[in-house]
Amino acid sequence: MAEAEDAFGSAVGNEVIGLYTAGSARGFSPTQAGNLRINGMFFDQAGMLNQRMVRGSTVHVGISAQGYPFPAPTGVVDYALRTPGDKAVTSVVLTQGAIFDYSRYLAEVDVQAPIVKDRFSVGGGFTYQHNNAHEVAVGDRNLNGAVLGHFTPNDNVTVTAFWSLLDTEAIDGDRPRVFVGDNDPPRFRADDMTSPEWLFFGFRVLNWGAVGSVDLPDQWRLEAGAFRSENNFPRVYTGFVLNVDQQGTGDYAIEQVPPRFNRSTSGEARLSKTVIENSRRHKFFAMARGRERDTTFGGGDLRRFGRVTLGAIPLPVEPVYRTTATTATTTKQLTGGLGYEGVWLDVGQLSVALQKTDYRRDIT
């Protein structure tokens, strides 16, 4: 973990150190607060990022945010892309592991290849993972992968583009959610609860975009990033066992929700100017960032199947569901900002920033 900059939160591959993560920093969630970056550029995440696409992340909060442009009280999480290098590399990993009766089979392939020496290289990787059911988890199949291209037409311009996929679905149906009534909880094993195969759970996540920078004359620098993030649910079924008594008996119901999605387009452009005078360095920033997010939800149809006992749930035939129209929300946000960073060697550092946001949310 030599790449970790501080003890506040850093991740490289599967290794994580520090106090904070993308989901928790000082009691807040940088992800929910919208304080995520990819290679320093603003990114609105609708679907999770996979490790075939990102190399790691760093949480900038408190002292560790000093010198980072436009910090936030919740912390800012900056993801670093898996930028392909100039050497041809191929790796294959096969893994089989078991924890109690929960077994995992994993196959990984990663490739990196230079197309034009020192100018253009591509890379990517794909993972297939099969997880058998466990007492606290449903068996599932996962396919994730990413393709990246790194282009440097000259010494002043750099562009990195990426595309990634994460596709997940449950095996043999998702387990129902158990809600206990006004009584002591019953004793039961989650892995004894069966579900019909048609009780489907799954989603497909897509993330793609590009980031780039241009070094201009007189210490000017232009950076920009544009991103698309999608979380799509083609079919959604959710099982419930409601009002469960102490003997483990409750009301069995399964809801179907029409296809729904959470999709966002976001990006940022930033212009900076560096002025160096002896032992002092001044850096001025001007940035604009925005996002447009579309989300659908609701419209479900709930069907009841009577009283059942946990551990002996029947496998009903799929009924004819009659779902209704979904509710749609559209969120638009535009932010502009100015910033200054001053560093005086062996004396101190000062960062000042001002931002203004215009926000609108429509519900249909």
Side-chain angles (χ1 to χ4, degrees), residues 274-357:
T274 301
V275 178
I276 299 177
E277 50 175 16
N278 299 323
S279 61
R280 293 184 293 273
R281 186 192 69 186
H282 309 277
K283 196 168 187 178
F284 303 88
F285 301 93
M287 71 84 179
R289 63 172 66 122
R291 67 180 179 122
E292 181 172 333
R293 176 180 287 229
D294 296 305
T295 304
T296 60
F297 59 91
D301 183 15
L302 184 72
R303 297 302 177 94
R304 300 182 181 274
F305 299 94
R307 300 285 288 180
V308 299
T309 300
L310 302 179
I313 299 176
L315 302 178
V317 176
E318 182 178 5
V320 177
Y321 283 94
R322 293 180 174 83
T323 58
T324 59
T326 58
T327 297
T329 67
T330 298
T331 301
K332 296 181 180 180
Q333 182 174 334
L334 182 63
T335 300
L338 299 172
Y340 166 79
E341 174 190 336
V343 178
W344 192 346
L345 188 64
D346 298 326
V347 176
Q349 181 172 335
L350 173 67
S351 298
V352 180
L354 177 67
Q355 300 181 68
K356 173 66 175 177
T357 296

Side-chain angles (χ1 to χ4, degrees), residues 26-110:
R26 292 180 167 179
F28 297 96
S29 169
T31 300
Q32 289 186 348
N35 289 319
L36 302 182
R37 309 286 185 268
I38 292 181
N39 283 21
M41 296 290 100
F42 172 73
F43 166 66
D44 183 37
Q45 178 179 313
M48 68 183 73
L49 307 179
N50 67 57
Q51 292 185 4
R52 307 269 67 80
M53 170 187 156
V54 296
R55 176 174 55 84
S57 63
T58 302
V59 181
H60 298 276
V61 63
I63 292 297
S64 68
Q66 186 72 17
Y68 189 81
F70 305 101
T74 63
V76 175
V77 178
D78 196 353
Y79 290 99
L81 292 172
R82 273 189 154 192
T83 305
D86 294 325
K87 295 182 179 180
V89 178
T90 300
S91 68
V92 178
V93 178
L94 301 176
T95 305
Q96 193 278 327
I99 303 176
F100 302 109
D101 59 344
Y102 179 73
S103 58
R104 168 178 295 178
Y105 303 88
L106 179 71
E108 295 180 311
V109 178
D110 286 284

Side-chain angles (χ1 to χ4, degrees), residues 120-178:
F120 180 50
S121 57
V122 297
F126 289 87
T127 299
Y128 176 78
Q129 183 172 299
H130 182 112
N131 299 321
N132 290 334
H134 180 46
E135 59 183 11
V136 296
V138 175
D140 57 33
R141 289 186 291 262
N142 301 282
L143 174 65
N144 67 73
V147 178
L148 300 97
H150 184 60
F151 182 46
T152 53
N154 55 57
D155 294 338
N156 297 321
V157 179
T158 299
V159 178
T160 302
F162 65 90
W163 174 91
S164 71
L165 164 72
L166 172 60
D167 192 277
T168 296
E169 66 176 42
I171 303 172
D172 298 328
D174 193 17
R175 290 199 186 108
R177 280 67 170 160
V178 177

